[in-house]
């Protein structure tokens, strides 16, 4: 921290304690906050899924009424998608992007804090609905006109997701600028780690997809709360418009959830195979292609809706086509392992699990695109099986692999490998036990989003459902193992040293945990997998040779090495401003102009506090007066 | 920003890059509203339709908004030359024109309302009001930003060499103007002609 | 991937006079647009309006927003978003208008 | 616990090919009835998609085995062995030829799948080639109504069709009081006869169906439609032509008016007038003469010709009917009091219920 000791009251300078967290602008701390918040929401979402499974364990059960069940499955979906997988990816983006590209922070540190607080308050807002008259109950897709029905509680959904959308949009802009504009000297695009590439693609997807759902939700909100007629068939409104808008967002959204995990796996597999990623360029381009094509397949969620045969055909084709770039990635990952020397560390196990389980989900995805038969599969547990295989077996496996992999980076300690392996195997077993049988129960006719498993279906699918429910028990136990391992290792884990995995990318170049300013000297990059190349060189035939230590070519990060490294100060304004989202949201949901006004006013005050406060004390916001306010030079000339 | 002192990779200012990035996504936002409007253009549920528009009136307010882009760019130009005094003048002029435009919109909305077009009337009405309303909200936010820029330059928080700040707000302002160029044609003129 | 392209072109900004000229042209174009309401242009009215709109759009973006003089990346961001939006919503509208479930 | 015993009429039959192909060992445990089973088609409109998915499933299975095989092979072959010397393996960066192979081959496979898929889409959606019958389907929260335009018949929950005849369903959604303004999307799905198709308020969608054998085919609403979506089931009963004609004749005769002085006649009275409570007739119709007009609730003219009621979740018998009139919400979550949907609790006395049930039971 660069600042002098005298600080203004609203500017916490402590490095520990609550205030230091509320006011932090350090991308690493923000990443850590994201991470722990998603854990809490994951426990909530998991508990909800436990309730669902308990109700469906046997036919004709009445543990939950229809009313409760509908709220629970809706909140389960919303929680897992918007409060767990997306922000968990954001946790990785936050922590890793600056480190991986050799930067000291993200482009807009306070905006970054803002994103986190919006997310937190958005999540609190959504969950408070349970106490305020009932949680949303119109499913995570919120189809109109059901969702605009007065008894649907979907006001919370419409407003809550918009709040979360603000968080994602701000983060997307921030990360895009960071990646494009803050790479260390020499870090060209084709030298960027794949994770950073996938982060870039993901954030572009967010950038372009979030506005679409924002509009869908605005319309829904106006219909629900203010009597507008967007989706009201009585006056000629078209419910199908909502479906298009939702899925225009919704499909890119599923790639938003999977691409970060793909990036993570692309980092771990090479490290644990002791080989570079097979086909780096292909993997990168395939990722970009997935992102791009991902915008053109949305109507495959509407194959049984009111769209005609030409549209159905066109979207069937585009949907199938997306299997090609995905396949490229799968095969490149497998061939990364091929010919390597694999070390089955926990992150590696989860990465292999990812490749294997995701393939299953992907293949069932392709069978969905067989439109005539989609009419049988749609809205059955077969679809539920598909998306849990890609989301849980894919995204979540990948993200967990990342947790194990970068835990030593964040804490300087190792997580227990023994418990990690126990976690992996029980997780794999529990996962397949839970979701494998759903393929069958779905094809045998069990529809999703049904509060009661009808007795007449019971005899054919009851066993499968029982197995699924048993799977959750295994998963819960497994999650507890993980949680114990995590918390225990934070306190008592073995020292990890600087480079526990023999890693390849820049983040391992610096201390673990990294200092506030990440790098004492900004590294100069000369290779893809820069860190590895500082340890080894390759001879002509591709055989590696060790390089003597200390042969680094870093340039001086600062013109004057004695000067303090210039880092932004803490700021409470993002936090203060974001509290306003609570009165703002309640004001809208309950149509209370006072609350709403309070929220807006609060936000404006927060906004002014924010812009008036300089980024760092004494720094007066910008460069000294005599320098023209433009970036002076490109990085290469540095 | 942390990296202002550090050179940037592309040699571009973070804030400008961020603004452009954001503006790119705004098309997706307005595009969805415009699509809904086009879909519902004849879905009036027996209420008033596009014939209710008062083209001469809207032309004038559109013209005002268009010209505010000129004053905006002049404000930036003044700032770029370090002339804060003139910059403030042009900023006020821009905000003023924005306010005129908003006033026109308020007037328009009330007239339409009195003539029987309200948001709960029909999908057409909903999509018209929400589309133009959201544009109005953007103008409003723009005015707020202009005013805060004005205030900050008075208190010395915005300095003569910091014309990126004016430029950024300017980008946003021009963008909102561009969107209105599209709305004016697609929402007002073309339907009106097609109906007449 | 021209990674480290520093934009040399920064700084060639038009003068206030040029800005005013552009504004005058914009005003003329607008007048032409509005005239379609008063004068019957027949079949060409709508294509004409779309062309005028596009010209105005590009003029504001290129000159007032300095796209013409600034980094190409900015233009790509803007027009990339625009093209994506046009494409997606065009398809959506085509489906909504013409590709309903059969006959209806 | 609700009581929902449903008679099962179709024979347990399962399509062995699909079972094998979807190949999970657990599968074998599932040898039960195959009533709502997409793997057991009972008519051409279910058979087509089924015949399409089988080869695709085979391809998927092959890809699955290939990928998992490669993974397992790599894991076993390239694991670091105990006697490893710690040296690094050869640093291979990629292989263009391989990249081309795994781009082109999947693309070709998918192109191969795409052709029959597109054909299938049009087959599924076009009008049937043969002469067909039309039934209109209206989705209400939370029951299906069927209208036979050729015969002017209204019925609910159970759709009766003749075998071997294509039926084209013209579907929409509306409720309550048929105001399309308040309808929500439903989806009509009888897996053994056809895939599902959504019912959208304010629009018409179509679905072809045909049963090869007489039987009772079960299905349900497959688009989440709120509170009682789970309790919105449907039946299609396929009959021989003769039986179907008998059914039509029965349905097109007006309901009998019970003789004066009987309990049934009292029931009829109450049906039309419940004092200051809403009369049954304000929501239901029992057609005695004149025009047949649909109403908010299911048509009750020939109520007892159906086997199940209340969204086909309960057997239609005296006991259930009594409970239904006593407290409909206890048999099916509807919450009329909150949202005006479904059937209200009319605070009927036991005497009133006796009379009403007698009347209903007489509606043969
Ligand atoms: C992480 C999220 C994620 C991912 C990555 C995917 C990936 C895919 N999804 Fe999935 N999907 C969801 C999340 C996801 N999906 C969710 C949440 C839903 C339900 C939403 C709801 O209704 O609530 C859904 C629903 C859904 C549907 C609608 C089903 C229905 O409701 O009727 C369809 C239909 O086409 C579909 C298709 C696909 C396809 C083709 C892919 C492809 O990208 C998969 C590609 C991968 C592979 C194919 C495997 C690897 C490839 C090879 C080994 C090459 C060789 C392969 C071949 C030659 C086939 N998905
Ligand atoms: C990433 C997304 C994700 C994940 C991880 C999951 C995880 C799980 N889901 Fe999920 N699910 C969805 C996304 C996800 N789901 C979506 C989008 C829907 C659609 C909703 C809709 O239709 O609208 C859905 C719907 C859905 C249904 C269908 C409901 C219906 O249609 O009626 C079911 C039913 O079984 C189900 C079950 C489960 C189960 C058992 C898990 C389990 O795997 C969960 C395992 C987790 C735990 C058991 C938690 C363990 C943790 C603890 C016990 C405490 C430890 C504490 C800390 C870590 C702090 N889900
Ligand atoms: Cu009707 Cu679900
Ligand atoms: Cu999708």
């Amino acid at each position: 921290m660069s600042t002098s000791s005298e600080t203004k009251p609203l500017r916490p300078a402590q490095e520990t304690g609550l205030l230091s967290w509320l006011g932090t602008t350090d991308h690493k701390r923000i990443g850590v906050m994201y991470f722990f918040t998603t854990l809490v929401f994951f426990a909530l979402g998991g508990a909800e899924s436990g309730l669902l499974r308990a109700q469906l364990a046997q036919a004709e059960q009445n543990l939950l009424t229809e009313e409760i069940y509908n709220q629970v499955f809706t909140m389960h979906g919303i929680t897992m998608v918007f409060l767990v997988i997306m922000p968990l990816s954001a946790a990785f983006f936050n922590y890793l992007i600056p480190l991986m590209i050799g930067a000291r922070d993200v482009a807009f540190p306070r905006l970054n804090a803002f994103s986190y607080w919006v997310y937190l308050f958005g999540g609190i807002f959504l969950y408070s609905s349970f106490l305020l008259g009932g949680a949303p109950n119109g499913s995570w897709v919120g189809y109109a006109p059901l969702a605009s029905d007065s008894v649907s509680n979907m006001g919370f959904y419409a407003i809550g997701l918009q709040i979360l959308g603000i968080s994602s949009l701000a983060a997307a802009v921030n990360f895009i600028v960071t990646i494009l504009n803050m790479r260390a000297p020499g870090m060209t695009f084709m030298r960027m780690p794949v994770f950073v590439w996938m982060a870039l693609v993901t954030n572009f997807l967010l950038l372009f997809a979030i506005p679409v759902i924002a509009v869908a939700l605005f319309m829904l909100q106006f219909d629900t709360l203010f009597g507008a007629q967007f989706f009201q068939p009585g006056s000629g409104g078209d419910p199908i418009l909502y479906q298009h808008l939702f899925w225009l967002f919704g499909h890119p959204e599923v790639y938003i959830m999977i691409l970060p995990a793909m990036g993570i796996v692309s980092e771990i597999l090479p490290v644990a195979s002791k080989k570079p990623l097979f086909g780096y360029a292909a993997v990168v381009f395939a990722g970009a292609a997935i992102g791009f094509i991902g915008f053109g397949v949305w109507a495959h969620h509407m194959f049984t809706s009111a769209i005609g045969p030409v549209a159905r055909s066109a979207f069937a084709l585009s949907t199938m086509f997306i299997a090609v770039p995905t396949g490229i990635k799968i095969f490149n990952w497998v061939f990364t392992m091929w010919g390597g020397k694999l070390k089955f560390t926990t992150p590696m196990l989860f990465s292999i699990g990812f490749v294997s389980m995701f393939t299953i989900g992907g293949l069932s995805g392709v069978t969905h695109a067989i439109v005539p038969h989609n009419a049988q599969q749609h809205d059955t547990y077969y679809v539920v099986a598909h998306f849990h295989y890609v989301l849980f077996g894919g995204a979540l496996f990948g993200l967990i692999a990342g947790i194990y992999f970068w835990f030593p980076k964040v804490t300087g300690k190792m997580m227990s490998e023994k418990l990690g392996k126990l976690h992996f195997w029980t997780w794999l077993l529990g996962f397949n036990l839970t979701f494998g049988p759903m393929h069958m129960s779905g094809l045998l006719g069990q529809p999703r989003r049904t509060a009661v498993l009808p007795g007449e279906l019971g005899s054919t699918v009851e066993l499968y459902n029982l197995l699924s429910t048993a799977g959750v028990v295994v998963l819960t136990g497994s999650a507890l193992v993980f949680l114990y391992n995590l918390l225990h290792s934070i306190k008592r884990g073995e020292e990890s040293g600087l480079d526990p995995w023999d890693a390849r990318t820049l983040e391992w170049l610096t201390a673990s945990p990294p200092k506030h300013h990440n790098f004492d000297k900004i590294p100069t990059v000369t290779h893809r997998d820069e860190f590895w190349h500082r340890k080894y060189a390759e001879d002509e035939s591709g055989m590696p040779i060790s390089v003597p230590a200390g042969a680094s070519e870093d340039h001086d990060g600062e013109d004057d090495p004695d000067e303090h490294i210039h880092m932004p100060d803490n700021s409470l304004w993002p936090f203060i401003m974001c509290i306003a989202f609570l009165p703002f949201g309640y004001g809208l949901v309950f149509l209370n102009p006072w609350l709403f006004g309070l929220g807006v006013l609060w936000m404006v005050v927060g906004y002014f506090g924010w812009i008036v406060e300089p980024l760092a004390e004494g720094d007066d916001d910008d460069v000294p007066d005599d320098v023209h306010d433009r970036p002076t030079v490109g990085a290469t000339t540095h | 920003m942390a990296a202002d002192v550090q050179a940037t990779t592309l040699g571009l200012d973070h804030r400008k890059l961020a603004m452009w990035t954001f503006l790119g996504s705004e098309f997706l936002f307005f595009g969805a509203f415009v699509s809904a409007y086009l879909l519902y253009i004849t879905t009036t549920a027996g209420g008033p339709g596009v014939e209710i528009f008062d083209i001469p009136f809207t032309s004038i307010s559109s013209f005002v908004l268009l010209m505010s882009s000129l004053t905006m760019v002049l404000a930036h130009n003044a700032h770029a030359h370090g002339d804060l005094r003139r910059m403030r003048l042009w900023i006020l002029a821009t905000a003023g024109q924005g306010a005129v435009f908003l006033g026109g919109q308020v007037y328009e909305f009330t007239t339409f309302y009195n003539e029987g077009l309200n948001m709960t009337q029909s999908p057409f009405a909903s999509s018209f009001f929400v589309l133009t309303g959201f544009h109005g909200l953007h103008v409003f936010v723009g005015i707020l930003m202009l005013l805060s820029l004005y205030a900050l330059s008075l208190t010395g928080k915005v300095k003569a060499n910091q014309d990126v700040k004016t430029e950024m707000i300017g980008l946003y302002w021009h963008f909102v103007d561009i969107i209105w160029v599209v709305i004016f044609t697609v929402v007002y003129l073309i339907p009106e002609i097609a109906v007449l | 991937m021209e990674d480290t392209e520093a934009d040399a072109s920064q700084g060639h900004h038009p003068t206030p006079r040029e800005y005013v000229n552009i504004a005058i042209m914009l005003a003329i174009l607008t007048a032409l647009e509005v005239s379609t309401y008063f004068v019957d242009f027949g079949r060409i009215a709508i294509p004409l309006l779309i062309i005028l709109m596009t010209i105005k759009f590009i003029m504001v973006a290129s000159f007032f927003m300095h796209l013409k003089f600034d980094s190409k990346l900015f233009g790509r961001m803007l027009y990339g978003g625009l093209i994506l939006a046009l494409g997606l919503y065009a398809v959506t509208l085509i489906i909504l208008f013409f590709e309903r479930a059969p006959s209806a | 616990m609700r009581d929902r015993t449903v008679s099962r009429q179709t024979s347990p039959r399962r399509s062995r090919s699909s079972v094998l192909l979807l190949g999970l060992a657990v599968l074998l445990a599932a040898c039960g009835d195959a009533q709502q089973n997409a793997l057991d088609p009972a008519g051409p409109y279910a058979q087509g998609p089924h015949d399409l998915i089988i080869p695709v499933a085979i391809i998927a299975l092959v890809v699955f085995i290939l990928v998992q095989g490669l993974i397992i092979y790599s894991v076993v072959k390239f694991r670091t062995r105990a006697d490893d010397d710690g040296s690094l393996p050869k640093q291979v960066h990629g292989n263009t030829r391989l990249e081309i192979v795994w781009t082109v081959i999947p693309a070709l496979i998918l192109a191969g799948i795409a052709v029959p898929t597109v054909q299938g889409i049009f087959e599924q959606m076009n009008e049937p080639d043969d002469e067909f019958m039309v039934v209109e389907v209206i989705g209400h929260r939370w029951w299906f109504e069927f209208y036979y335009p050729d015969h002017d018949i209204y019925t609910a929950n159970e759709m009766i069709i003749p075998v071997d005849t294509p039926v084209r369903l013209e579907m929409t959604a509306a409720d309550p009081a048929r105001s399309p303004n308040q309808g929500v999307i439903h989806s009509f799905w009888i897996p053994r006869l056809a895939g599902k198709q959504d019912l959208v308020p304010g629009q018409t969608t179509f679905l072809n169906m045909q049963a090869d054998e007489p039987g009772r085919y079960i299905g349900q609403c497959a688009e989440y439609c709120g509170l009682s979506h789970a309790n919105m089931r449907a039946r299609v009963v396929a009959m021989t032509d003769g039986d179907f004609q008998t059914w039509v004749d029965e349905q097109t005769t007006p309901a009998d008016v019970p003789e004066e002085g009987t309990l049934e006649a009292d029931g009829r009275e109450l049906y039309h007038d419940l004092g200051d409570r809403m009369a049954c007739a304000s929501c239901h119709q029992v057609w005695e003469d004149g025009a047949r007009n649909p109403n908010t609730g299911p048509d009750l003219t020939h109520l007892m010709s159906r086997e199940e009621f209340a969204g086909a979740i309960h057997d239609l018998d005296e006991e259930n009917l009594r409970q239904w009139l006593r407290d409909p919400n206890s048999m099916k979550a509807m919450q009329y009091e909150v949202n005006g949907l479904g059937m209200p609790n009319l605070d009927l006395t036991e005497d009133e219920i006796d009379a009403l049930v007698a009347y209903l039971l007489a509606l043969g």
Side-chain angles (χ1 to χ4, degrees), chain D residues 4 26 28 79 127 166 194 208 246 323 338 361:
Chain D
R4 279 187 210 155
V26 231
L28 297 168
R79 67 182 195 278
E127 285 187 0
N208 298 328
T246 318
Q323 183 58 28
V338 182
L361 289 176

Side-chain angles (χ1 to χ4, degrees), chain D residues 140-142 144 185-187 221-226 229-230 232:
Chain D
H140 300 268
R141 267 180 283 180
W142 292 275
F144 284 107
I185 304 174
H186 304 269
S187 192
C221 173
E223 177 65 57
Y224 178 64
C225 52
H229 163 66
M232 181 164 174

Side-chain angles (χ1 to χ4, degrees), chain A residues 39-40 42-43 45-47 49-50 52-53 56 69 73-74 76-78 80-81 85 139-141 257 381 384 387-388 391-392 396 427 434-435 438 448-450 468 472 475-476 479-480 482-483:
Chain A
L39 276 195
V40 174
F42 182 61
S49 78
L52 299 179
R53 287 312 329 162
L56 296 177
Y69 183 93
F73 88 73
T74 303
H76 165 71
I78 295 176
M80 289 301 193
V81 170
I85 300 292
S139 93
W140 85 283
V141 303
M257 291 188 276
Y381 268 76
V384 178
F387 69 73
H388 283 96
L391 280 170
F392 192 114
L396 202 55
W427 200 243
T434 310
F435 301 109
M438 288 184 186
R448 57 193 286 212
R449 297 174 183 152
T450 43
S468 287
V472 184
L475 281 176
T476 308
L480 292 176
F482 166 68
L483 194 66

